[in-house]
Amino acid sequence: MGLMEGKRGVILGVANEMSIAWGIAQQLRAAGAELAFTYLNESLEKRVRPLAESLDSKLILPCDVGSDEAIATTFKEVEKVWGKIDFVVHSVAFASRDDLRRPFTETSRDGFAMALDISAYSLVAVSRYAAPLMTDGGSILSLTYLGSVRAVPNYNVMGVAKAALESCTRYLAAELGEKKIRVNCISAGPIRTLAASGVAGMREKIKYMDVHAPLRRAVDQTDVGKSALYFCSDLSSGVTGEIHYVDGGFSTIVNV
Ligand code: NAD
Protein backbone atom coordinates (compact mmCIF):
# COMPACT_ATOMS: atom_id res chain seq x y z
CA MET A 1 0.00 0.00 0.00
CA GLY A 2 1.39 3.45 -1.02
CA LEU A 3 2.40 6.01 1.56
CA MET A 4 -0.33 8.41 0.36
CA GLU A 5 -3.05 5.82 -0.30
CA GLY A 6 -6.43 7.25 0.78
CA LYS A 7 -5.08 10.82 1.01
CA ARG A 8 -6.39 13.71 -1.08
CA GLY A 9 -4.92 17.13 -1.66
CA VAL A 10 -4.75 20.26 -3.76
CA ILE A 11 -1.71 21.31 -5.80
CA LEU A 12 -1.46 25.03 -6.59
CA GLY A 13 1.27 26.18 -8.97
CA VAL A 14 1.64 23.86 -11.95
CA ALA A 15 2.34 25.99 -15.04
CA ASN A 16 4.05 23.33 -17.17
CA GLU A 17 6.08 20.11 -16.93
CA MET A 18 9.09 22.08 -15.62
CA SER A 19 7.16 23.37 -12.58
CA ILE A 20 8.35 22.29 -9.15
CA ALA A 21 4.67 21.66 -8.34
CA TRP A 22 4.61 19.10 -11.16
CA GLY A 23 7.64 17.28 -9.72
CA ILE A 24 5.83 17.20 -6.37
CA ALA A 25 2.54 16.03 -7.91
CA GLN A 26 4.24 13.11 -9.65
CA GLN A 27 5.79 11.86 -6.40
CA LEU A 28 2.52 12.22 -4.47
CA ARG A 29 0.52 10.41 -7.14
CA ALA A 30 3.11 7.62 -7.40
CA ALA A 31 2.62 7.11 -3.65
CA GLY A 32 -1.16 6.79 -4.14
CA ALA A 33 -2.51 10.29 -3.42
CA GLU A 34 -5.57 11.62 -5.22
CA LEU A 35 -4.85 15.11 -6.54
CA ALA A 36 -6.75 18.28 -7.42
CA PHE A 37 -4.94 20.90 -9.49
CA THR A 38 -5.43 24.63 -9.89
CA TYR A 39 -4.30 26.85 -12.73
CA LEU A 40 -3.89 30.62 -12.89
CA ASN A 41 -5.70 31.46 -16.12
CA GLU A 42 -7.16 30.03 -19.34
CA SER A 43 -3.91 30.05 -21.26
CA LEU A 44 -2.24 27.97 -18.52
CA GLU A 45 -5.28 25.69 -18.28
CA LYS A 46 -4.33 24.31 -21.72
CA ARG A 47 -1.01 23.13 -20.30
CA VAL A 48 -2.18 22.10 -16.84
CA ARG A 49 -5.28 20.09 -17.79
CA PRO A 50 -3.48 17.35 -19.81
CA LEU A 51 -0.77 17.07 -17.16
CA ALA A 52 -3.35 16.76 -14.36
CA GLU A 53 -5.38 14.22 -16.35
CA SER A 54 -2.25 12.13 -16.90
CA LEU A 55 -2.21 11.71 -13.09
CA ASP A 56 -5.92 10.72 -13.11
CA SER A 57 -7.06 14.03 -11.63
CA LYS A 58 -10.76 14.81 -11.94
CA LEU A 59 -10.65 18.15 -10.12
CA ILE A 60 -8.93 20.81 -12.21
CA LEU A 61 -9.96 24.30 -11.15
CA PRO A 62 -9.09 27.93 -11.80
CA CYS A 63 -7.56 29.85 -8.89
CA ASP A 64 -5.88 33.24 -8.94
CA VAL A 65 -4.46 33.51 -5.42
CA GLY A 66 -4.59 37.30 -5.73
CA SER A 67 -8.32 37.02 -5.01
CA ASP A 68 -9.81 35.78 -1.72
CA GLU A 69 -13.05 35.12 -3.56
CA ALA A 70 -11.29 32.90 -6.10
CA ILE A 71 -9.57 30.92 -3.33
CA ALA A 72 -12.86 30.53 -1.44
CA THR A 73 -14.63 29.30 -4.60
CA THR A 74 -11.87 26.80 -5.34
CA PHE A 75 -11.95 25.22 -1.89
CA LYS A 76 -15.76 25.27 -1.82
CA GLU A 77 -15.72 23.21 -5.03
CA VAL A 78 -13.13 20.84 -3.52
CA GLU A 79 -15.32 20.46 -0.42
CA LYS A 80 -18.39 19.74 -2.55
CA VAL A 81 -16.64 16.87 -4.34
CA TRP A 82 -14.36 15.44 -1.63
CA GLY A 83 -15.77 16.70 1.68
CA LYS A 84 -12.31 16.78 3.29
CA ILE A 85 -8.66 17.03 2.28
CA ASP A 86 -5.35 15.94 3.78
CA PHE A 87 -2.79 18.28 2.21
CA VAL A 88 -2.22 21.43 0.17
CA VAL A 89 0.89 22.30 -1.83
CA HIS A 90 1.36 26.05 -2.41
CA SER A 91 3.99 26.41 -5.14
CA VAL A 92 3.16 29.92 -6.28
CA ALA A 93 5.15 33.13 -6.54
CA PHE A 94 5.15 36.30 -8.61
CA ALA A 95 7.18 39.49 -8.93
CA SER A 96 7.22 41.80 -11.91
CA ARG A 97 10.16 41.24 -14.23
CA ASP A 98 10.80 45.01 -14.21
CA ASP A 99 11.23 45.03 -10.45
CA LEU A 100 13.52 42.01 -10.58
CA ARG A 101 15.73 43.68 -13.21
CA ARG A 102 16.10 47.03 -11.37
CA PRO A 103 18.51 47.86 -8.56
CA PHE A 104 16.79 46.90 -5.28
CA THR A 105 16.51 50.56 -4.21
CA GLU A 106 14.38 51.16 -7.32
CA THR A 107 11.77 48.53 -6.39
CA SER A 108 8.36 50.10 -7.00
CA ARG A 109 5.82 50.43 -4.19
CA ASP A 110 3.18 48.60 -6.27
CA GLY A 111 5.64 45.88 -7.29
CA PHE A 112 6.65 45.32 -3.66
CA ALA A 113 3.00 45.00 -2.60
CA MET A 114 2.21 42.66 -5.50
CA ALA A 115 5.20 40.36 -4.81
CA LEU A 116 4.27 40.06 -1.14
CA ASP A 117 0.57 39.63 -1.88
CA ILE A 118 0.92 36.79 -4.42
CA SER A 119 4.00 35.11 -2.96
CA ALA A 120 3.40 35.38 0.82
CA TYR A 121 -0.07 36.61 1.81
CA SER A 122 -1.62 34.01 -0.49
CA LEU A 123 -0.34 31.24 1.83
CA VAL A 124 -2.35 32.79 4.68
CA ALA A 125 -5.48 33.07 2.54
CA VAL A 126 -5.13 29.54 1.14
CA SER A 127 -4.66 28.18 4.68
CA ARG A 128 -7.79 30.03 5.84
CA TYR A 129 -9.95 28.20 3.29
CA ALA A 130 -8.07 24.88 3.28
CA ALA A 131 -7.77 24.31 7.04
CA PRO A 132 -11.53 23.82 7.69
CA LEU A 133 -11.44 20.96 5.15
CA MET A 134 -8.61 19.21 7.04
CA THR A 135 -10.95 17.61 9.54
CA ASP A 136 -8.53 14.77 10.37
CA GLY A 137 -5.50 17.06 10.47
CA GLY A 138 -3.34 17.78 7.47
CA SER A 139 -0.23 19.21 5.90
CA ILE A 140 0.30 22.57 4.19
CA LEU A 141 3.53 22.95 2.26
CA SER A 142 5.02 25.91 0.38
CA LEU A 143 8.23 26.66 -1.51
CA THR A 144 10.90 29.18 -0.60
CA TYR A 145 14.48 30.05 -1.58
CA LEU A 146 17.74 30.98 0.16
CA GLY A 147 17.26 34.60 -0.99
CA SER A 148 14.96 35.01 2.04
CA VAL A 149 17.85 34.89 4.50
CA ARG A 150 20.81 35.98 2.30
CA ALA A 151 21.02 38.83 -0.20
CA VAL A 152 21.28 36.74 -3.37
CA PRO A 153 22.18 38.79 -6.48
CA ASN A 154 19.10 39.76 -8.53
CA TYR A 155 16.58 38.01 -6.24
CA ASN A 156 15.69 41.37 -4.68
CA VAL A 157 11.98 41.87 -3.86
CA MET A 158 11.34 38.15 -4.15
CA GLY A 159 13.80 37.59 -1.30
CA VAL A 160 11.74 39.92 0.88
CA ALA A 161 8.56 38.09 -0.14
CA LYS A 162 10.15 34.72 0.72
CA ALA A 163 11.21 36.04 4.15
CA ALA A 164 7.54 36.94 4.72
CA LEU A 165 6.41 33.53 3.45
CA GLU A 166 8.73 31.76 5.89
CA SER A 167 7.46 33.90 8.76
CA CYS A 168 3.85 33.16 7.72
CA THR A 169 4.77 29.45 7.83
CA ARG A 170 5.79 29.75 11.49
CA TYR A 171 2.70 31.74 12.52
CA LEU A 172 0.38 29.38 10.65
CA ALA A 173 2.12 26.38 12.24
CA ALA A 174 1.70 27.93 15.70
CA GLU A 175 -2.02 28.51 15.16
CA LEU A 176 -3.03 25.38 13.27
CA GLY A 177 -1.01 22.85 15.30
CA GLU A 178 -3.88 22.25 17.72
CA LYS A 179 -5.99 21.15 14.75
CA LYS A 180 -3.24 18.66 13.84
CA ILE A 181 -2.45 20.70 10.75
CA ARG A 182 1.28 20.96 10.03
CA VAL A 183 2.71 23.86 8.02
CA ASN A 184 6.17 23.60 6.49
CA CYS A 185 8.27 25.13 3.76
CA ILE A 186 10.87 23.61 1.43
CA SER A 187 13.74 25.91 0.51
CA ALA A 188 14.75 24.56 -2.89
CA GLY A 189 18.06 25.19 -4.64
CA PRO A 190 17.93 26.95 -8.03
CA ILE A 191 16.03 24.99 -10.69
CA ARG A 192 15.29 25.99 -14.30
CA THR A 193 11.55 26.84 -14.44
CA LEU A 194 9.28 29.54 -15.87
CA ALA A 195 9.37 31.58 -12.64
CA ALA A 196 13.16 31.20 -12.34
CA SER A 197 13.62 32.65 -15.83
CA GLY A 198 12.52 36.02 -14.40
CA VAL A 199 15.62 36.14 -12.19
CA ALA A 200 18.78 37.23 -14.04
CA GLY A 201 21.77 34.89 -13.68
CA MET A 202 19.73 31.80 -12.77
CA ARG A 203 21.68 29.61 -15.20
CA GLU A 204 24.94 30.65 -13.52
CA LYS A 205 23.46 29.97 -10.08
CA ILE A 206 22.53 26.45 -11.19
CA LYS A 207 26.00 25.80 -12.68
CA TYR A 208 27.62 27.09 -9.47
CA MET A 209 25.96 24.21 -7.60
CA ASP A 210 27.83 21.61 -9.67
CA VAL A 211 31.12 22.90 -8.26
CA HIS A 212 30.26 24.35 -4.86
CA ALA A 213 27.30 22.49 -3.34
CA PRO A 214 28.38 19.64 -1.03
CA LEU A 215 26.54 17.17 -3.31
CA ARG A 216 28.35 18.74 -6.34
CA ARG A 217 25.14 19.14 -8.31
CA ALA A 218 22.02 21.25 -8.55
CA VAL A 219 18.81 19.68 -7.25
CA ASP A 220 15.85 19.09 -9.56
CA GLN A 221 12.06 18.83 -9.40
CA THR A 222 12.26 15.15 -8.41
CA ASP A 223 14.54 15.91 -5.43
CA VAL A 224 12.03 18.50 -4.21
CA GLY A 225 9.11 16.15 -4.95
CA LYS A 226 10.60 13.41 -2.77
CA SER A 227 11.03 15.78 0.18
CA ALA A 228 7.49 17.08 -0.40
CA LEU A 229 6.27 13.50 -0.10
CA TYR A 230 7.84 13.37 3.36
CA PHE A 231 6.08 16.60 4.38
CA CYS A 232 2.68 15.68 2.92
CA SER A 233 2.72 12.18 4.39
CA ASP A 234 2.66 10.88 7.95
CA LEU A 235 6.45 10.39 7.79
CA SER A 236 6.75 13.98 9.05
CA SER A 237 3.97 13.63 11.64
CA GLY A 238 6.02 15.39 14.33
CA VAL A 239 7.32 18.23 12.15
CA THR A 240 5.79 21.69 11.74
CA GLY A 241 6.97 25.29 11.25
CA GLU A 242 10.11 24.03 9.55
CA ILE A 243 12.07 25.64 6.71
CA HIS A 244 13.68 22.58 5.16
CA TYR A 245 16.55 23.01 2.68
CA VAL A 246 16.60 20.83 -0.44
CA ASP A 247 19.65 22.40 -2.07
CA GLY A 248 22.38 19.78 -2.06
CA GLY A 249 23.67 21.23 1.22
CA PHE A 250 24.56 24.60 -0.33
CA SER A 251 23.04 26.69 2.48
CA THR A 252 25.29 24.97 5.03
CA ILE A 253 28.65 25.92 3.51
CA VAL A 254 30.75 29.04 3.04
CA ASN A 255 33.25 29.26 0.20
CA VAL A 256 36.31 31.30 1.15
P1 NAD B 1 6.65 27.99 -12.08
O1 NAD B 1 6.62 29.21 -12.94
O2 NAD B 1 6.54 26.69 -12.75
O3 NAD B 1 5.55 28.09 -10.93
C1 NAD B 1 5.09 29.31 -10.41
C2 NAD B 1 3.58 29.20 -10.39
O4 NAD B 1 3.00 30.33 -9.77
C3 NAD B 1 2.98 29.11 -11.80
O5 NAD B 1 2.21 27.95 -11.92
C4 NAD B 1 2.11 30.34 -11.88
O6 NAD B 1 0.94 30.13 -12.66
C5 NAD B 1 1.77 30.53 -10.42
N1 NAD B 1 1.22 31.84 -10.13
C6 NAD B 1 1.78 33.07 -10.31
N2 NAD B 1 0.91 34.03 -9.97
C7 NAD B 1 -0.23 33.40 -9.53
C8 NAD B 1 -1.50 33.83 -9.06
N3 NAD B 1 -1.80 35.12 -8.94
N4 NAD B 1 -2.42 32.90 -8.72
C9 NAD B 1 -2.15 31.58 -8.84
N5 NAD B 1 -0.98 31.10 -9.30
C10 NAD B 1 -0.03 32.00 -9.64
O7 NAD B 1 8.04 28.11 -11.28
P2 NAD B 1 8.60 27.26 -10.04
O8 NAD B 1 10.05 27.58 -10.02
O9 NAD B 1 8.14 25.86 -10.10
O10 NAD B 1 7.96 28.00 -8.78
C11 NAD B 1 7.21 27.33 -7.79
C12 NAD B 1 7.60 27.81 -6.41
O11 NAD B 1 8.93 27.39 -6.14
C13 NAD B 1 7.59 29.32 -6.24
O12 NAD B 1 7.13 29.65 -4.96
C14 NAD B 1 9.07 29.67 -6.37
O13 NAD B 1 9.39 30.91 -5.78
C15 NAD B 1 9.65 28.49 -5.63
N6 NAD B 1 11.09 28.26 -5.81
C16 NAD B 1 11.62 28.14 -7.06
C17 NAD B 1 12.98 27.91 -7.21
C18 NAD B 1 13.61 27.80 -8.57
O14 NAD B 1 14.83 27.92 -8.68
N7 NAD B 1 12.84 27.52 -9.62
C19 NAD B 1 13.81 27.79 -6.07
C20 NAD B 1 13.22 27.90 -4.81
C21 NAD B 1 11.86 28.14 -4.68
Side-chain angles (χ1 to χ4, degrees), residues 12-13 21 25-26 41 63 84 107 109 139 141 148-149 154 157 161 171 183 192 200 207 217 228 231 242 244 250:
L12 297 98
Q26 287 175 295
N41 54 33
C63 186
K84 56 159 280 211
T107 306
R109 191 175 290 270
S139 171
L141 180 68
S148 60
V149 289
N154 305 314
V157 68
Y171 279 96
V183 189
R192 205 161 67 83
K207 275 200 191 134
R217 67 172 179 89
F231 279 111
E242 185 177 336
H244 177 86
F250 184 71

Side-chain angles (χ1 to χ4, degrees), residues 74-244:
T74 299
F75 282 93
K76 224 172 265 166
E77 185 60 29
V78 170
E79 186 179 20
K80 215 190 301 168
V81 180
W82 281 347
K84 56 159 280 211
I85 57 172
D86 303 287
F87 62 89
V88 168
V89 176
H90 172 291
S91 187
V92 167
F94 180 80
S96 97
R97 197 171 276 251
D98 286 350
D99 278 313
L100 288 173
R101 297 290 156 114
R102 290 187 190 125
F104 183 60
T105 47
E106 300 296 328
T107 306
S108 67
R109 191 175 290 270
D110 285 352
F112 189 99
M114 169 76 108
L116 269 90
D117 182 22
I118 302 301
S119 315
Y121 177 74
S122 64
L123 179 68
V124 180
V126 164
S127 300
R128 179 159 68 245
Y129 295 105
L133 275 58
M134 295 179 164
T135 47
D136 292 331
S139 171
I140 298 172
L141 180 68
S142 69
L143 274 300
T144 187
Y145 176 62
L146 185 63
S148 60
V149 289
R150 308 266 193 281
V152 173
N154 305 314
Y155 203 60
N156 294 4
V157 68
M158 190 50 80
V160 180
K162 291 302 191 192
L165 178 79
E166 292 175 18
S167 187
C168 290
T169 299
R170 288 185 285 271
Y171 279 96
L172 289 166
E175 180 179 322
L176 297 174
E178 65 181 6
K179 296 185 171 131
K180 296 199 205 124
I181 298 171
R182 300 178 294 102
V183 189
N184 294 289
C185 205
I186 289 178
S187 185
I191 299 174
R192 205 161 67 83
T193 64
L194 195 61
S197 69
V199 179
M202 208 60 186
R203 194 169 300 185
E204 290 71 26
K205 286 179 181 45
I206 294 170
K207 275 200 191 134
Y208 195 82
M209 295 290 151
D210 293 338
V211 181
H212 295 286
L215 290 183
R216 302 294 190 272
R217 67 172 179 89
V219 296
D220 62 17
Q221 291 85 340
T222 304
D223 292 310
V224 179
K226 288 194 273 190
S227 291
L229 177 57
Y230 161 76
F231 279 111
C232 292
S233 73
D234 292 339
L235 288 181
S236 58
S237 55
V239 182
T240 194
E242 185 177 336
I243 312 301
H244 177 86

